[in-house]
C-alpha cells in the first residue's frame, strides 16, 4: 500500500480491539507537536481546512450516490453545520457527507502520512510559518490542534450501521472506539473541538461568520451556524453564498472571491498570476475557471507531472485529477464543469471519452492564447509567470510538436544581448547579422556560467547574439526543434563554428598576432595531437576564441557536452563522455609562441607538457574537473618553477 492510498484496510485488517490506543505515524506526530506547541498568529485557517474537508466529503458522497442513489436517499440535502457551544467551550464542524469507516479514521487521521507531510515539515523549517503552508501540503485536518486541546471525530460512513469515534489531544497517540451516544450522525462526520483558553473567541458568531466569509464563501454547499446557549440550540442560519463560483458571471465576482476560491483549490492564498474564466458554448457546453498560482506548487517537478483540474458534471463533482491540460501546463489549477457529459461517467472512462479529448484540446488552446495575450499586454505580470513556470512550459517544445510554433511565441530567453531582461525569438531573429544563418545558444547550469563560456568570445566579437540556456529541458528541445522561422538552433560548443563569413565588429579586442605563421601552427597542431593521443578526438584552430587560449567543443554529430554531463548525472555508473575536440586560439600569444617553438624544434618535451596543461585548462574553463589533478599540479609547478625559481 502506498502512502497516499486511502482505501486501504491495512489498519482494520489488524483487527485491533475497540477503545484501543494507536500511535501517530512518526512524521505526523512531529507535525502535531508543532501544531500544539507553537504559537501562530493566523490560526483561524483551521476552520477553513475543516470546512474544506467537509465540502470534499459531500462531493465524494454525491459522486458515489451516482451509482448508488440509496446512499443519499434518506437525507438528500447536503450541508455543513457549525455548532458553537459557549457553555461547553466547544466548536463542532459537522457534515452529512461520505463519512469515514473505522479503518478510514485510523488511516486518514494519523497512521498513513500524507504525501505532503514530509515536504511540509521541510518547508516549515525554512519559513517558520505553518499556517500559510498547511493547505498547500494537504495536512489541513491537523490545523485543528492549533486551537483545540482535544479533538473528537464521530463518523458514520454512508451506508454503514457503525459509528466510530476518534479522539486525541495531539500528543503521540489517538484512541478509537465505537460511538454509543444517541446524537450519532445519521451519515457523515462531526468534528468537535474543545477550544484552548486562548482560542475561545472562535465561539463568537461574528468571528465565525467573518472567517467563513473570508475563506469559505465560495463553498458550493450551504454552511449553517447554530449557537448553543446554556444547552439550548438557537436557529440554524446560513452564512455563506453557496453558489459555485464558476456559474456566476465574471462581473459579479470580486478579486477577493477569486483569490479565496483558488486559495482553497491550490492551497496558495495569494493573488493568482492569471485567471481564466469563461463559458464555452456551441457544440459542447462547459464552464472553465482556471488560474496560474502566483507561487509554484511544491510538487511542480514531481516525475509524475500530474494535472490537477477538477471535473464537475452539471455541478456534481467527479474527480480532482482530471487531465484537461498537457503535462507542461500542470501548474494550472481550476475547474471544468461540463453540461453534456453523462453524470455516471466513471473516472476510468474519462481517459477514452471523446468529449474529454475535445474539451482538452479547446481548453489547451485557450490557455496558451491567454498566456500569449498576457505576454503581449502585461509584460511585467508575464515575467513573473515565466520566472516560476518557464522551465515547465518549455517541456512543451519537445513534447507538443503540433503547438511548438505557438509555444515559440511565448518562450523568453536571456541572451548575451538581453542585459538581465528577456528576449523573444522574434526579437532575436530581427537582430540577426548579415550572413548569420542559425540561432546560436549555449547551455550551462546557470546564467553566470553560460555567459562566461570561452566559446562565446568569437560570437561576441562579431556582435552575434547567443541564447543563454540554463534549464535542463533546454538541452532536449533544442535537439528536437527543427528551428524557428526557418533558422536552425546551433550550439556554440558543438561542431564547427563557421564564423569566417561574418565580419568582426570588435577587432581591437583581438590581440591578433598579425603574422600568423600557418605552417608553424600546423606543426604545433600535429605535435599536440600526438601528445594527447586518445584524450581528444581532434585538435584544431578555433574561430570562436578571442582572449582564451583554448576551449573544448563537441563533435557535430554527437551530444553537446553540457547534455552529456546532465545524462551522466542520471546514469547509474556516472556514464561516459565522448572525447572532446580541443580548439586553439591562433591569435593567442601562448599559442603563437608555442607554434614558433614547434617550428624550430618539432615535437618536444616542452610542447608535450604544454599540450596537457592546455587541455586541463580547457576542462577548467568548462567548469569540469581535470581528469588527473595530480599530474596537472605537477606540470603547473614545473612551469612556475621555471619562471619563479632563481
Ligand atoms: P486533505 O484534505 O488534503 O486530504 P486533510 O489533512 O485535510 O488532508 O484530511 C485528511 C483526510 O481525512 C482527507 O483526505 C479525508 O480522507 C479525511 N477526512 C478529513 N475530514 C473529513 C470529513 N469531514 N469527512 C470525511 N473524510 C474526512
Ligand atoms: Mg483538507
Amino acid at each position: 500500500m502506498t502512502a497516499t492510498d486511502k482505501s486501504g484496510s491495512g489498519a482494520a485488517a489488524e483487527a485491533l480491539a475497540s477503545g484501543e490506543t494507536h500511535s501517530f505515524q512518526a512524521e505526523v506526530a512531529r507535525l502535531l507537536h508543532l501544531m500544539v506547541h507553537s504559537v501562530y498568529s493566523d490560526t483561524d485557517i483551521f476552520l477553513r481546512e475543516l470546512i474544506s474537508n467537509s465540502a470534499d466529503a459531500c462531493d465524494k458522497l454525491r459522486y458515489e450516490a451516482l451509482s448508488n442513489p440509496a446512499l443519499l436517499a434518506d437525507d438528500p440535502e447536503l450541508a455543513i453545520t457549525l455548532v458553537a457551544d459557549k457553555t461547553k467551550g466547544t466548536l463542532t464542524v459537522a457534515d452529512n457527507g461520505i463519512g469515514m469507516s473505522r479503518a478510514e479514521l485510523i488511516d486518514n487521521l494519523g497512521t498513513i502520512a500524507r504525501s505532503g507531510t514530509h515536504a511540509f515539515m521541510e518547508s516549515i523549517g525554512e519559513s517558520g510559518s505553518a499556517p500559510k503552508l498547511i493547505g498547500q501540503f494537504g495536512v489541513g485536518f491537523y490545523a485543528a490542534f492549533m486551537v483545540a486541546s482535544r479533538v473528537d471525530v464521530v463518523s458514520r460512513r454512508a451506508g454503514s450501521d457503525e459509528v466510530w469515534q476518534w479522539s486525541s489531544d495531539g500528543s503521540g497517540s489517538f484512541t478509537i472506539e465505537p460511538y454509543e451516544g444517541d446524537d450519532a450522525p445519521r451519515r457523515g462526520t462531526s468534528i468537535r473541538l474543545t477550544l484552548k483558553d486562548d482560542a475561545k473567541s472562535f465561539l463568537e458568531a461574528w468571528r465565525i461568520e467573518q472567517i467563513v466569509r473570508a475563506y469559505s464563501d465560495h463553498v458550493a454547499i450551504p454552511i449553517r451556524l447554530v449557537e448553543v446557549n446554556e444547552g439550548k440550540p438557537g436557529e440554524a442560519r446560513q452564512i455563506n453564498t453557496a453558489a459555485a463560483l464558476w456559474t456566476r458571471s465574471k462581473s459579479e465576482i470580486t478579486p477577493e472571491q477569486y483569490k479565496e476560491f483558488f486559495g482553497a483549490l491550490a492551497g496558495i492564498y495569494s493573488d493568482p498570476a492569471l485567471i481564466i474564466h469563461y463559458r464555452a458554448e456551441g457544440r459542447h457546453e462547459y464552464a472553465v475557471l482556471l488560474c496560474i498560482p502566483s507561487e509554484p506548487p511544491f510538487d511542480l517537478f514531481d516525475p509524475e507531472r500530474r494535472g490537477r483540474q477538477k471535473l464537475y458534471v452539471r455541478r456534481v463533482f467527479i474527480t480532482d485529477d482530471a487531465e484537461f491540460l498537457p503535462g507542461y501546463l500542470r501548474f494550472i489549477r481550476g475547474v471544468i464543469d461540463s453540461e453534456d457529459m453523462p453524470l455516471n461517467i466513471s473516472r476510468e472512462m474519462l481517459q477514452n471519452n471523446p468529449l474529454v479529448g475535445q474539451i482538452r484540446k479547446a481548453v489547451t488552446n485557450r490557455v496558451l492564447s491567454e498566456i500569449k495575450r498576457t505576454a503581449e499586454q502585461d509584460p511585467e505580470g508575464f515575467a513573473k509567470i515565466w520566472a516560476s513556470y518557464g522551465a515547465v512550459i518549455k517541456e512543451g517544445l519537445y513534447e507538443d510538436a503540433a503547438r511548438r510554433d505557438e509555444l515559440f511565441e511565448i518562450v523568453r530567453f536571456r541572451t548575451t544581448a538581453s542585459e538581465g531582461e528577456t528576449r523573444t525569438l522574434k526579437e532575436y531573429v530581427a537582430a540577426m547579422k548579415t550572413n548569420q544563418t542559425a540561432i546560436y545558444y549555449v547551455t550551462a547550469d546557470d546564467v553566470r556560467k553560460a555567459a562566461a563560456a570561452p566559446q562565446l568570445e568569437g560570437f561576441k566579437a562579431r556582435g552575434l547574439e547567443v541564447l543563454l540556456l540554463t534549464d535542463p529541458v533546454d538541452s532536449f528541445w533544442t535537439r528536437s526543434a527543427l528551428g524557428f522561422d526557418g533558422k536552425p538552433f546551433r550550439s556554440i560548443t558543438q561542431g564547427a563554428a563557421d564564423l569566417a563569413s561574418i565580419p568582426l565588429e570588435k577587432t581591437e579586442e583581438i590581440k591578433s598576432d598579425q603574422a600568423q605563421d600557418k605552417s608553424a601552427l600546423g606543426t604545433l597542431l600535429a605535435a599536440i595531437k600526438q601528445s594527447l593521443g586518445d584524450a581528444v578526438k581532434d585538435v584544431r584552430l578555433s574561430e570562436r576564441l578571442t582572449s582564451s587560449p583554448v576551449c573544448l567543443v563537441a563533435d557535430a554529430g554527437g551530444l553537446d557536452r553540457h547534455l552529456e554531463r546532465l545524462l551522466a548525472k542520471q546514469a547509474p555508473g556516472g556514464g561516459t563522455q565522448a572525447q572532446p575536440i580541443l580548439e586553439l586560439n591562433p591569435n593567442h600569444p601562448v599559442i603563437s609562441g608555442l607554434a614558433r617553438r614547434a617550428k624550430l624544434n618539432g615535437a618536444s618535451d616542452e610542447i608535450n607538457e604544454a599540450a596537457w596543461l592546455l587541455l586541463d585548462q580547457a576542462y577548467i574553463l568548462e567548469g569540469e574537473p581535470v581528469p588527473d589533478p595530480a599530474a596537472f599540479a605537477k606540470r603547473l609547478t614545473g612551469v612556475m618553477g621555471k619562471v619563479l625559481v632563481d
Side-chain angles (χ1 to χ4, degrees):
M1 191 160 60
T2 65
T4 47
D5 183 352
K6 293 299 204 62
S7 62
S9 55
E14 283 164 33
L16 293 155
S18 68
E20 205 160 305
T21 302
H22 296 241
S23 298
F24 284 111
Q25 191 267 354
E27 211 135 42
V28 174
R30 280 210 294 142
L31 186 149
L32 278 172
H33 185 84
L34 260 170
M35 293 294 157
V36 173
H37 295 282
S38 307
V39 181
Y40 296 116
S41 52
D42 27 8
T43 51
D44 53 358
I45 60 116
F46 83 90
L47 190 55
R48 167 192 93 194
E49 292 301 323
L50 296 183
I51 289 174
S52 127
N53 285 348
S54 286
D56 288 349
C58 293
D59 274 347
K60 282 181 201 157
L61 175 64
R62 237 191 230 138
Y63 179 75
E64 282 199 14
L66 293 175
S67 50
N68 183 4
L71 293 181
L72 204 50
D74 60 336
D75 186 10
E77 203 223 339
L78 295 167
I80 298 168
T81 310
L82 311 178
V83 184
D85 187 329
K86 281 191 187 155
T87 324
K88 290 188 181 147
T90 58
L91 176 64
T92 306
V93 179
D95 63 69
N96 55 355
I98 191 75
M100 282 178 275
S101 65
R102 180 179 181 280
E104 285 166 332
L105 279 167
I106 295 173
D107 289 351
N108 296 348
L109 306 185
T111 51
I112 296 189
R114 314 181 50 65
S115 55
T117 311
H118 184 72
F120 174 80
M121 295 300 293
E122 286 191 337
S123 308
I124 213 180
E126 287 160 22
S127 78
S129 159
K132 270 210 192 76
L133 301 169
I134 282 169
Q136 195 179 341
F137 292 93
V139 291
F141 171 74
Y142 305 115
F145 288 94
M146 292 193 296
V147 298
S149 55
R150 177 188 166 100
V151 177
D152 297 283
V153 182
V154 177
S155 195
R156 186 202 296 265
R157 170 82 205 201
S160 163
D161 297 334
E162 295 176 17
V163 184
W164 289 90
Q165 172 164 335
W166 176 107
S167 307
S168 178
D169 61 3
S171 54
S173 62
F174 61 88
T175 59
I176 186 114
E177 60 196 318
Y179 185 76
E180 324 259 74
D182 43 13
D183 57 345
R186 284 158 70 198
R187 184 184 69 217
T189 305
S190 154
I191 299 183
R192 192 178 68 224
L193 313 180
T194 306
L195 294 172
K196 294 180 186 173
D197 285 340
D198 61 1
K200 292 280 202 278
S201 70
F202 294 116
L203 295 170
E204 303 291 342
W206 67 267
R207 186 86 206 271
I208 297 172
E209 283 182 62
Q210 182 199 39
I211 299 172
V212 169
R213 255 200 317 277
Y215 294 123
S216 312
D217 192 51
H218 71 274
V219 171
I221 288 161
I223 301 172
R224 301 194 181 116
L225 175 61
V226 178
E227 293 177 77
V228 181
N229 278 312
E230 268 134 49
K232 279 201 275 319
E235 195 135 333
R237 60 199 164 83
Q238 185 170 329
I239 54 174
N240 69 331
T241 314
L245 197 70
W246 59 90
T247 61
R248 296 194 229 162
S249 84
K250 261 174 157 166
S251 57
E252 290 168 24
I253 305 173
T254 65
E256 281 308 308
Q257 285 172 318
Y258 274 127
K259 180 170 156 181
E260 166 223 315
F261 174 79
F262 288 117
L265 201 78
I268 298 168
Y269 289 84
S270 50
D271 288 310
L274 178 65
I275 294 173
I276 301 171
H277 184 184
Y278 68 97
R279 217 185 152 69
E281 268 150 13
R283 211 141 64 85
H284 305 303
E285 252 182 68
Y286 52 91
V288 177
L289 177 52
L290 302 171
C291 86
I292 299 182
S294 56
E295 296 158 43
F298 74 95
D299 57 356
L300 186 60
F301 289 101
D302 254 17
E304 274 195 48
R305 306 169 77 237
R306 277 156 59 86
R308 296 290 184 71
Q309 294 83 46
K310 284 196 180 197
L311 171 67
Y312 284 73
V313 173
R314 295 186 284 287
R315 256 72 60 215
V316 176
F317 169 75
I318 305 293
T319 175
D320 57 5
D321 56 6
E323 304 245 0
F324 279 102
L325 291 169
Y328 62 90
L329 295 174
R330 62 186 173 277
F331 51 88
I332 295 182
R333 302 296 172 94
V335 166
I336 288 163
D337 187 350
S338 160
E339 296 293 329
D340 316 312
M341 269 184 218
L343 255 179
N344 59 2
I345 188 162
S346 75
R347 285 162 199 168
E348 296 69 39
M349 278 160 62
L350 277 176
Q351 298 251 302
N352 312 317
N353 186 290
L355 201 53
V356 173
Q358 285 162 24
I359 295 180
R360 192 182 145 103
K361 194 166 161 202
V363 173
T364 305
N365 289 342
R366 177 67 177 249
V367 165
L368 288 182
S369 70
E370 294 278 338
I371 294 179
K372 198 165 100 190
R373 206 166 53 93
T374 310
E376 285 158 7
Q377 295 175 0
D378 173 16
E380 231 170 88
F382 179 75
K384 286 190 195 132
I385 295 177
W386 187 254
S388 296
Y389 306 109
V392 179
I393 295 174
K394 281 188 286 188
E395 292 170 12
L397 290 175
Y398 71 81
E399 243 172 39
D400 196 348
R403 291 197 182 84
R404 193 178 284 147
D405 287 337
E406 205 173 349
L407 287 166
F408 273 145
E409 294 183 38
I410 293 172
V411 293
R412 296 290 187 274
F413 299 101
R414 302 262 230 129
T415 77
T416 45
S418 69
E419 287 167 4
E421 303 284 298
T422 57
R423 304 257 285 169
T424 62
L425 284 178
K426 228 174 162 173
E427 288 166 334
Y428 180 100
V429 169
M432 277 172 62
K433 299 283 164 190
T434 335
N435 290 345
Q436 180 183 352
T437 53
I439 298 172
Y440 294 111
Y441 68 89
V442 58
T443 50
D445 294 335
D446 57 57
V447 172
R448 200 183 49 79
K449 275 191 197 153
Q455 294 91 338
L456 273 174
E457 293 167 6
F459 292 82
K460 283 190 189 151
R462 288 169 175 83
L464 294 170
E465 187 174 6
V466 177
L467 308 180
L468 306 174
L469 305 183
T470 55
D471 292 311
V473 61
D474 292 322
S475 293
F476 298 94
W477 69 259
T478 42
R479 293 176 61 80
S480 58
L482 296 174
F484 173 76
D485 198 15
K487 322 280 187 299
F489 293 97
R490 282 275 292 280
S491 166
I492 63 153
T493 60
Q494 189 171 11
D498 293 336
L499 295 178
S501 61
I502 304 173
L504 288 161
E505 284 186 354
K506 304 180 185 165
T507 29
E508 75 280 6
E509 270 188 21
I510 301 177
K511 305 180 200 88
S512 174
D513 195 333
Q514 288 309 325
Q516 253 188 35
D517 186 336
K518 293 267 174 320
S519 83
L521 284 165
T523 314
L524 178 65
L525 285 180
I528 292 181
K529 231 181 274 188
Q530 194 185 21
S531 291
L532 299 181
D534 281 346
V536 291
K537 175 145 201 234
D538 194 10
V539 182
R540 65 189 186 207
L541 296 179
S542 187
E543 285 170 352
R544 50 193 123 210
L545 296 173
T546 60
S547 50
S548 301
V550 284
C551 70
L552 295 179
V553 297
D555 202 20
L559 299 180
D560 187 80
R561 295 183 52 74
H562 178 69
L563 176 56
E564 257 188 357
R565 281 197 293 274
L566 283 178
L567 296 175
K569 261 188 232 163
Q570 246 119 75
T576 52
Q577 292 216 322
Q579 299 157 296
I581 295 167
L582 180 68
E583 287 196 351
L584 310 183
N585 176 359
N587 298 312
H588 196 283
V590 167
I591 302 300
S592 45
L594 279 170
R596 275 193 297 275
R597 284 169 198 238
K599 194 175 178 185
L600 278 176
N601 313 327
S604 64
D605 276 358
E606 193 178 40
I607 289 189
N608 181 55
E609 291 293 284
W612 287 102
L613 269 175
L614 286 171
L615 178 61
D616 285 342
Q617 213 183 106
Y619 275 113
I620 291 169
L621 282 168
E622 290 275 291
E624 282 184 55
V626 297
D628 184 350
F632 169 68
K634 202 168 151 212
R635 287 196 182 101
L636 189 61
T637 313
V639 173
M640 290 172 82
K642 275 192 204 145
V643 182
L644 299 174
V645 179
D646 315 307

